[in-house]
Amino acid sequence: MNTKDGDADNTGPSIPQVPRPLHRPQGLRTMQAVRPPERHRMRMRLLDAVDEDRCDVEVLLTALQQAVAEVRGLGGMVHLPGGGMSGVLYLVADSGLPESMTRPWLIIPARGTAPPSRAARNDTVAWQPDLAPPDPVPGRDPAALWPSRLPAGIGHLAVPVPGTGRRRGALSVLFAPGAEPGPPERAFLNQVAAWMSGRLRSSGILNPSPTLLRALENGPAPGEAPPWDAKGMPSIAYTWDLRTGELTADRPVQEVLAGIDPEVMTGGIEAWAALIHPDDLPAAVAGFDTGIQMRGGFQNEYRVRRQDGTYVWIEACARTVTDEEGTPVKVTGSLRDSSETHAAAESVGRALQHMSDGFVSVDTDWRIGFVNQAAERLFGPAGDVAGALLWDIPAVRAVPGLEERCRATAAEGRPAGFDVPGPDGTSWYHLRLVPVPEGLTLYITDTTERHLREVERAAAERASAERAALVQRITRELAEAVTAQDVIAAVADGVMTPFGATGLIMLGVVGDRLTVIGSRGYSERFTRLLDGRWTVPDTTNPVGDALRTRTPLCISSAEEFLKRYPGAESLTRESGKQAWAFLPLAVSGREIGAAVISFGRPRVLDDDEQTLLTVLSGLIAQALERAGLYDEATTRARTLQRSLLPQALPELPEVTTAARYQPAKQGADVGGDWYDVIPLSAARVALVIGDVMGHGMAEAATMGGLRTAVRTLSELELPPDEILGHLNDIVGELGTDAFATCLYGIYDPVTQRLSYASAGQPPPAVAHPDGPVTFLPMAPDPPLGVAAPPFETLETLLPAGSLLALYSDGLVESKDRDVTTGMSRLAELLSRSVNAMPASLADASGLDALCATLTSALLPAHGALIDDAALLLARIHPLDADNVAEWPLPEDPLAAGQARDLVRAQLTDWDLADEDLIMTTELLVSELVGNVIRHACGPIRLRMLRSRTLICEVSDASLTTPHIRHTSATDEGGRGLQLISALCQRWGTRHTRTGKSIWTEQPLPTGQV
């Protein structure tokens, strides 16, 4: 326990004993195993490694610790000279000793008998086998401060610390009883003392700063009045004779310093020193010593004791006077009572010292003058940083640009403030720089909590903004999703990546079972295993639980999953996931499914994430409900569209056909493209392709109506231009906003000619057997609904084996490609593909594959198609001349018999010698020729064709169309056409350029087609 005002410490701790090892480890070269000279050299090398910028206290303390450790001492001290007050040594460093041991040694006389005094005075090693208190100095009695219960026989060794001239200090070490150091230890301590002296002289740390030098040089000259005299403040002028120690004053001391012993001046400097407060004595001695050494002025402030035992603060201002040789001979100066000023300063100092914010003051040379307790936590102890350059402090160097800001603030003369990170990288401080006449003050406020709150608030705002942006993005994507697969894609893109998920499954309610709508990140085997396994009412599965509570169910690990649902072990193992979030999907109180988000590692979702998933589950449910309605509408529209298009193309010997239709988009917005292949009389075939402009159910219905109309008009055996004329009337009656395009062509396998007419359709492509691909010439007729008939019918000869391609504009035109470019691409693909196909291919499989190749090459990916596309391919097979027979007949009743003979002969020649077929054909031809003779006019011609059926035609020059009539039992005529209708498969009338032809078709015997 420390003493105060001279009370002895009777409870101080005893000197610690140096531990000794019980045994020396084998195989290890311990410090004791090293020879002393080698150990000493190692210690000195360690001291030489001390950084040059270490302060004086650290230098002394480091050397002292090395010295005590090497000589195995109990502890050590370093004393340095105090200067002008008849020689005083004061304690500047100690190591290993309790405070109760060091208090008596704070100030000792240089001429005393203690080992440090003798070593410093005589420049020699001093040894004392039994530790004793040092000699007293004025105002201090070390014996009164001496601790009790110290062991007897503690040795005290001191070696001199060299200084300038005869001024020396001392390094002393205490030893355990009976452990007197030998010559090697004494030599080593001398080496350490010499190293101390060299470092103290070279470091310059103990040298006064430029500011102090200027203050010393500009101090008051002898005889000049001190600065406070000009203000009328009372002071004492004194002279101190350095050779005799005598003090003289210009007036009695009690006139200025009330309560001071009036005889103190007669006692000399020793008596004055006895009045100085023990705590202020070292600083006062150092001040006098520095002033005398520098031969200049100096100023100090300390407390002196009144006669009643109280103390008064005084301010001393003095100047050293030298003789002709420059030796200091006396000190002249003045004293004044500074109690009031110091009290105020102490009040301010206490306030600054204990304020919660850091406070640092620097002078005009940027040297630190004051550091309060709060600032010490950043800058270091005030005693270590006082007088140091601000820029040399590590905490200051750690702040980028702080020196520039400080200098700029001082130059501008205006306060400035800014936030800087702390040297530890985790704290934050607000620095306020305030220029003052004497330099600059720094106010340091710890803003770490505020900064953390701001960071947390910014992070929360950023997270909130990110969540809002995520919800907004997913909302937009879900709003644009039209199918269930679009919903799955939107959820996968918008949820899996932000949450770090690795899997997604969307389940839909079908009846009471949960079926898999789609998935991401799961194998097909797992989705098949899960499909339909869980039911909605069953709460032994996580989806059933989530749907029952209508809140997301989060499972953070596989262990938790199996603990809750032990029956799902196989699913958990097969899925390969480690954490799940089950989102119930319900709309208007009705469960429609669930979304399962899964993770590849254990994951705990926080409250914000669960809240976000709750919001998303509602959005997903609404989008999935809309997608379900859309899918239902799509199904209905697709069903309607499939019903309106040909279910299958007819298999005809005259042409081999294949077709493809690709709608522009999914859903109820079906298109109006269509195609058809219609068998006609005389083995002819009608090839049709069309496009109703627009998308929707109305357009699809219009397309169906036009296709039906085309087939009906084809039954009337009308030419292409007339059929388009009728279609134009039909479209025109639908309204001004209805438009359609159509190409109608008739291929005659007997003449190998194609007659066609177009209303707004692109020209058909023809791939000739010899390789080139051409486009048929076209008249620029406008679309149906705006066209003005008549339409132009064109004819072209198609060589055997030619491939005809009819297509809508959606096949060759896109947003990235015009029609001309698309047609060129179609021609290129046709040429390349047709050359690789056998020309005689009669089945449709090859053409079907060619359709797939063309559409995949010409159309963009599904979803990017902006218009419907239809393609109809037809390979031409002309009717051989051997299968065609034609004769003119006379215009008389004998023509019927002649026709029967010709039929029998031709059927026999075609190996169709079936008597029933011959007799039926003879009867049909006879009846047709008889009708011409009776009701029409010549010339008369008979033609027989062997194709898919047996075709018989009788032509005349009359335009009258025969009709079946209802006859009564008494009618003599009118039964011929009824007979024809009963005997043949079908019959009809076809108008030609020269009249008309009445034809019949009969099925051929099996094997004869």
Side-chain angles (χ1 to χ4, degrees), residues 365-445:
D365 295 319
W366 302 103
R367 292 189 178 273
I368 297 175
F370 178 82
V371 179
N372 72 349
Q373 291 179 358
E376 284 183 347
R377 292 193 292 269
L378 290 173
F379 282 49
D384 293 344
V385 300
L389 277 174
L390 181 64
W391 326 123
D392 293 339
I393 305 301
V396 176
R397 290 200 303 266
V399 181
L402 180 57
E403 180 177 355
E404 291 76 7
R405 292 194 179 189
C406 290
R407 294 186 182 276
T409 301
E412 294 176 0
R414 291 198 301 267
F418 47 87
D419 290 338
V420 296
D424 57 1
T426 59
S427 56
W428 281 83
Y429 298 90
H430 178 77
L431 297 187
R432 179 167 175 79
L433 311 178
V434 180
V436 295
E438 297 81 10
L440 188 74
T441 58
L442 284 78
Y443 296 86
I444 307 171
T445 304

Side-chain angles (χ1 to χ4, degrees), residues 318-619:
R319 185 176 183 83
T320 303
V321 180
T322 61
D323 58 13
E324 295 179 354
E325 298 178 356
T327 301
V329 294
K330 61 181 177 180
V331 174
T332 62
S334 58
L335 304 172
R336 76 172 182 90
D337 187 343
S338 62
S339 297
E340 293 184 3
T341 304
H342 192 81
E346 279 188 338
S347 177
V348 175
R350 283 193 300 270
L352 292 176
Q353 186 69 24
H354 298 289
M355 65 187 298
S356 59
D357 292 346
F359 179 82
V360 179
S361 65
V362 296
D363 59 16
T364 55
D365 295 319
W366 302 103
R367 292 189 178 273
I368 297 175
F370 178 82
V371 179
N372 72 349
Q373 291 179 358
E376 284 183 347
R377 292 193 292 269
L378 290 173
F379 282 49
D384 293 344
V385 300
L389 277 174
L390 181 64
W391 326 123
D392 293 339
I393 305 301
V396 176
R397 290 200 303 266
V399 181
L402 180 57
E403 180 177 355
E404 291 76 7
R405 292 194 179 189
C406 290
R407 294 186 182 276
T409 301
E412 294 176 0
R414 291 198 301 267
F418 47 87
D419 290 338
V420 296
D424 57 1
T426 59
S427 56
W428 281 83
Y429 298 90
H430 178 77
L431 297 187
R432 179 167 175 79
L433 311 178
V434 180
V436 295
E438 297 81 10
L440 188 74
T441 58
L442 284 78
Y443 296 86
I444 307 171
T445 304
D446 190 340
T447 59
T448 302
E449 292 186 4
R450 186 188 70 187
H451 183 78
L452 291 177
R453 288 195 299 270
E454 292 177 353
V455 170
E456 291 174 356
R457 182 171 62 253
E461 292 176 353
R462 184 167 58 253
S464 177
E466 291 175 354
R467 289 193 297 270
L470 176 62
V471 172
Q472 183 178 8
R473 184 174 72 253
I474 296 177
T475 301
R476 182 177 62 253
E477 293 177 355
L478 290 176
E480 296 173 355
V482 294
T483 67
Q485 297 304 317
D486 292 340
V487 174
I488 296 173
V491 175
D493 296 341
V495 176
M496 291 180 64
T497 299
F499 279 82
T502 59
L504 170 68
I505 289 184
M506 198 76 71
L507 300 173
V509 176
V510 178
D512 63 345
R513 293 208 164 266
L514 294 163
T515 61
V516 176
I517 299 175
S519 66
R520 295 288 189 278
Y522 284 95
S523 65
E524 184 178 353
R525 170 187 170 86
F526 176 78
T527 56
R528 288 199 304 267
L529 183 64
L530 182 63
D531 191 27
R533 178 165 181 168
W534 289 338
T535 61
V536 175
D538 185 11
T539 58
T540 61
N541 67 77
V543 175
D545 273 351
L547 289 173
R548 177 177 56 83
T549 60
R550 299 291 175 87
T551 57
L553 173 61
C554 299
I555 300 178
S556 60
S557 65
E559 292 76 12
E560 181 183 353
F561 193 103
L562 294 178
K563 184 178 180 180
R564 289 191 178 194
Y565 311 103
E569 181 178 359
S570 60
L571 284 176
T572 306
R573 183 176 59 254
E574 185 69 27
S575 70
K577 307 302 180 183
Q578 296 294 318
W580 298 264
F582 297 90
L583 309 184
L585 305 181
V587 176
S588 301
R590 177 174 52 87
E591 298 90 352
I592 65 170
V596 184
I597 301 171
S598 54
F599 305 88
R601 56 181 177 80
R603 181 137 164 18
V604 177
L605 298 173
D606 57 31
D607 293 340
D608 291 340
E609 290 174 326
Q610 293 188 32
T611 301
L612 180 58
L613 289 178
T614 302
V615 174
L616 293 179
S617 64
L619 297 175

Side-chain angles (χ1 to χ4, degrees), residues 189-205:
L189 292 177
N190 275 319
Q191 288 181 316
V192 174
W195 182 86
M196 284 183 179
S197 176
R199 285 300 298 266
L200 292 177
R201 284 197 301 268
S202 62
S203 67
I205 297 176

